[in-house]
Amino acid sequence: MNPSEFAYQRAGSVEEAIALLQEHGDGAKLIAGGHSLLPILKLRLAEPDMLVDIGRIPELRGVQRTDAEIAIGALTTHHEIATDGQIQSALPLLSDAAARVGDRQVRNRGTIGGALAHADAAADYPAAILALDAAIVARGPRGERRIPAREFFLDFLTTALQPEEVLTEVRISLPPEGHGWSYQKLANQASGYAIVGVGTVIVLHDQGAVADVRVGVTGAAAVAWRAEATETALQGQRLQNDVIAAAADLVDGGIDYLDDLHGSAEYRRRVTRGLTRRAIVEAAGRARQG
Ligand SMILES: Cc1cc2nc3c(=O)[nH]c(=O)nc-3n(C[C@H](O)[C@H](O)[C@H](O)COP(=O)(O)OP(=O)(O)OC[C@H]3O[C@@H](n4cnc5c(N)ncnc54)[C@H](O)[C@@H]3O)c2cc1C
């Protein structure tokens, strides 16, 4: 099917994009890489009157590192995140998740801003973004705000972004050197999307007990989540098999699993628990004590 008719305007700056969103209201949609929006337009699941192209705004590009954090521009592609040396060394969880998005074409065109704003239930980034406790920066008519990752994903294809806001960057505090990490994913073999994806960051004390741990889960439910009960069960513990298994079984407290042609709710529940176990074991194996 072809999309319904729409007008098109390229924004030269974030301010111009915001002004266009204000001017056209509900009828306007931003477009970045187009890899989630165009399929939706073709299926006529969205019929905007105006596409505002933000794909060439220079200030939305690039990766900047300070001593405390890394800022990743919204237009940074999955390929750039997978291959950027600064991200690979400081945030290997994020670069690994990016490397496993879709296929080469998708990774070359798709952007982190578009992926987060779209909030597909099966997207890879949410697991990593949650486990890294990132902040999503949005700019709108009333200025700029930082949205913690755990407050960003609200429901299926729904985020905390307001209609007139542009997601400008993702900011991630640098985890300590020597932290352990893992991204475990059961991928849909046709698209690459996550049927289940689990991202984990672990920091160990010098005696080997867990000083800090974060677990983010995507794909399994309508919205990605932080597995707080699992984290609490691991905090301060030495990571023996029985501790890990018991903590992984707490991963889904209160979650309604998706039940669709890619997997039943019971299948997703088992896979989520299994991948959580694997992610903790792999992250612990990579973590340096102290
Ligand atoms: C065949 C195929 C396979 C895929 N496989 C995977 C996969 O394995 N894992 C995965 O995670 N994803 C996958 N994707 C999705 C892919 O990652 C997309 O690139 C991504 O979801 C959207 O990024 P985009 O830049 O293309 O956004 P667009 O399609 O341009 O936009 C998507 C939505 O976000 C909004 N938007 C875009 N940028 C901004 C911004 N800066 N601020 C506010 N709103 C914004 C748009 O208005 C639109 O609603 C796949 C896509 C395809 C086509």
Side-chain angles (χ1 to χ4, degrees):
M1 212 190 303
N2 289 325
S4 58
E5 272 194 24
F6 53 81
Y8 169 91
Q9 197 154 340
R10 179 175 291 156
S13 67
V14 174
E15 272 56 45
E16 193 184 343
I18 295 168
L20 286 165
L21 289 176
Q22 283 186 287
E23 185 183 336
H24 295 277
D26 282 352
K29 263 288 178 205
L30 297 178
I31 181 163
H35 267 60
S36 290
L37 187 60
L38 289 181
I40 281 182
L41 298 187
K42 287 185 168 185
L43 291 167
R44 300 213 178 179
L45 294 172
E47 301 190 34
D49 308 320
M50 160 68 78
L51 283 194
V52 178
D53 189 347
I54 57 170
R56 298 199 188 167
I57 299 178
E59 69 172 296
L60 294 179
R61 296 206 163 271
V63 177
Q64 284 181 346
R65 179 180 171 156
T66 64
D67 287 345
E69 63 179 12
I70 285 188
I72 303 169
L75 287 179
T76 312
T77 63
H78 313 323
H79 172 74
E80 287 164 343
I81 290 173
T83 55
D84 180 276
Q86 300 185 93
I87 298 180
Q88 281 179 333
S89 67
L91 306 170
L93 169 59
L94 189 68
S95 57
D96 190 46
R100 293 159 70 181
V101 169
D103 54 35
R104 197 174 291 241
Q105 281 169 306
V106 174
R107 291 194 294 276
N108 277 332
R109 290 288 306 172
T111 67
I112 188 167
L116 293 175
H118 186 61
D120 196 301
D124 287 284
Y125 285 127
I129 289 293
L130 284 162
L132 289 164
D133 216 8
I136 285 114
V137 182
R139 202 182 307 164
R142 282 170 294 283
E144 193 163 273
R145 65 189 180 118
R146 283 172 81 123
I147 310 166
R150 59 204 309 177
E151 294 170 18
F152 185 75
F153 304 105
L154 300 183
D155 202 347
F156 189 69
L157 302 182
T158 308
T159 71
L161 285 175
Q162 295 298 311
E164 293 169 352
E165 284 181 323
V166 177
L167 191 165
T168 54
E169 61 184 6
V170 179
R171 289 187 167 263
I172 305 177
S173 300
L174 298 177
E177 258 186 58
H179 73 278
W181 62 275
S182 175
Y183 182 55
Q184 296 290 327
K185 170 179 178 180
L186 175 68
N188 177 318
Q189 294 302 302
S191 66
Y193 274 110
I195 296 171
V196 178
V198 181
T200 304
V201 169
I202 289 180
V203 180
L204 296 180
H205 282 303
D206 52 3
Q207 300 301 317
V210 173
D212 193 15
V213 54
R214 285 176 249 131
V215 180
V217 187
T218 191
V223 62
W225 77 93
R226 269 278 291 272
E228 287 171 20
T230 298
E231 295 172 2
T232 305
L234 294 172
Q235 192 68 38
Q237 301 293 318
R238 290 177 163 278
L239 292 174
Q240 278 137 358
N241 286 344
D242 55 339
V243 172
I244 295 173
D249 284 350
L250 301 173
V251 67
D252 44 17
I255 291 299
D256 282 331
Y257 281 104
L258 292 174
D259 193 326
D260 58 24
L261 78 169
H262 302 302
S264 67
E266 174 58 15
Y267 176 71
R268 280 191 164 91
R269 186 179 74 83
R270 285 168 181 250
V271 171
T272 303
R273 292 181 177 193
L275 292 188
T276 303
R277 218 170 289 175
R278 244 194 238 179
I280 297 166
V281 169
E282 186 170 62
R286 285 175 169 150
R288 285 205 307 268
Q289 292 183 17

